[in-house]
Amino acid sequence: MTGASPATAPRAGRTGIRLVRVPNGRVGAVAVHEVAETVADHPRAVLGVATGSTPLELYAALARRRTHGLRTDAMTLVALDEYVGLGGDDPRDYATYVRRTIATPLGIPDDRVHVPSGTTDADAAAFEHGIAGMGGVDLQILGIGRNGHIGFNEPGADAASRTRIVSLDEVTRRANAEHFDGDLDAVPTHAITQGVGTILDARRILLLAAGRGKAAALRAALTGPVSAEVPASYLQRHPAVVVIADDDACEELE
Ligand code: PGA
């Protein structure tokens, strides 16, 4: 991990970010319109998928669209990140999440589901090579961590970072302990994640945020300086970002 790059002043109103504020409980229902439009226009789209709780309703809504005729099974899925050290059959690993929660309900076969894995630089490079080979990500769905992380790019992550092995922040491990029966010691200490630079290569980005716990991070990401201390603030440098955030997550915004 490299040191923090210098903060730059926010270009208020001139970033590529469009904020859509929605009532609590409506993030997925609104986000599905954005995703369904992309899929309808480009059935073979490469969809970058986030794991975590926030996008669950979006994925469920997308599957419902499929039952009403939206063609989702020609897409390719690319995941952001994966824990290091869980067994391949562990229900908490993100490959399992992506298959069970997204790929299967959308009818996407295994050979078009790409989740980073492994522990070496060569594994990371192979994943990057794979994304390049499919022509890049058309639409990247993102969540935001309480500490402002995107993927597992924790505070301090460099803007130019690529897929790599990282150690997880204490804040992240505590937040994710709920999926490990509350046992912090069971939460992996390392992960493989797309880098900030990898994420910013996506043509369009859809960031989802829900709940009071994300309010400070969202404020810092959207209105603060672009800074390694808040990796989501790098999104201010991307030309096409839509943020869908509920009232609670918007609580600290003007
Ligand atoms: P969450 O995770 O959707 O489970 O809150 C988001 C994140 O940590 O990036």
Side-chain angles (χ1 to χ4, degrees):
M1 195 172 296
T2 59
S5 57
T8 55
R11 297 176 301 142
R14 291 215 262 134
T15 71
I17 299 180
R18 177 164 64 90
L19 172 65
V20 180
R21 179 173 176 160
V22 302
N24 292 342
R26 297 290 297 165
V27 168
V30 174
V32 74
H33 295 296
E34 296 278 339
V35 181
E37 200 176 319
T38 296
V39 183
D41 290 348
H42 305 286
R44 298 167 70 91
V46 177
L47 187 67
V49 290
T51 54
S53 309
T54 313
L56 286 173
E57 178 50 34
L58 162 63
Y59 300 139
L62 209 49
R64 287 195 294 275
R65 291 287 185 105
R66 181 183 182 219
T67 65
H68 290 97
L70 181 70
R71 170 122 203 249
T72 57
D73 63 349
M75 280 194 293
T76 294
L77 300 180
V78 182
L80 283 170
D81 46 20
E82 177 63 287
Y83 290 118
V84 166
L86 294 183
D89 297 330
D90 192 300
R92 279 90 44 113
D93 84 356
Y94 289 163
T96 304
Y97 175 116
V98 171
R99 265 198 305 275
R100 182 185 298 160
T101 310
I102 315 172
T104 300
L106 299 186
I108 299 168
D110 259 359
D111 64 342
R112 278 191 270 110
V113 177
H114 304 274
V115 180
S117 66
T119 57
T120 67
D121 289 348
D123 295 326
F127 185 74
E128 287 274 338
H129 192 69
I131 296 177
M134 57 186 93
V137 171
D138 293 303
L139 177 62
Q140 176 65 56
I141 296 159
L142 286 182
I144 181 170
R146 286 167 177 72
N147 61 0
H149 76 194
I150 47 175
F152 276 138
N153 293 283
E154 306 285 29
D158 195 85
S161 53
R162 309 302 304 188
T163 301
R164 67 205 186 289
I165 308 296
V166 294
S167 56
L168 296 178
D169 209 71
E170 180 81 8
V171 173
T172 297
R173 294 183 63 241
R174 285 192 184 285
N176 292 4
E178 66 171 290
H179 303 295
F180 292 83
D181 300 322
D183 179 6
L184 183 60
D185 291 338
V187 183
T189 56
H190 290 76
I192 180 168
T193 184
Q194 288 189 31
V196 175
T198 320
I199 292 170
L200 293 182
D201 281 348
R203 290 179 189 86
R204 291 170 58 225
I205 292 176
L206 182 61
L207 176 83
L208 309 181
R212 187 69 187 83
K214 303 297 175 67
L218 192 66
R219 173 178 47 75
L222 302 188
T223 68
V226 175
S227 158
E229 291 317 302
V230 182
S233 69
Y234 290 127
L235 297 174
Q236 293 179 34
R237 294 180 178 164
H238 191 282
V241 179
V242 174
V243 176
I244 299 178
D246 70 7
D247 285 330
D248 280 350
C250 290
E251 194 150 291
E252 296 195 18
L253 296 171
E254 308 250 293

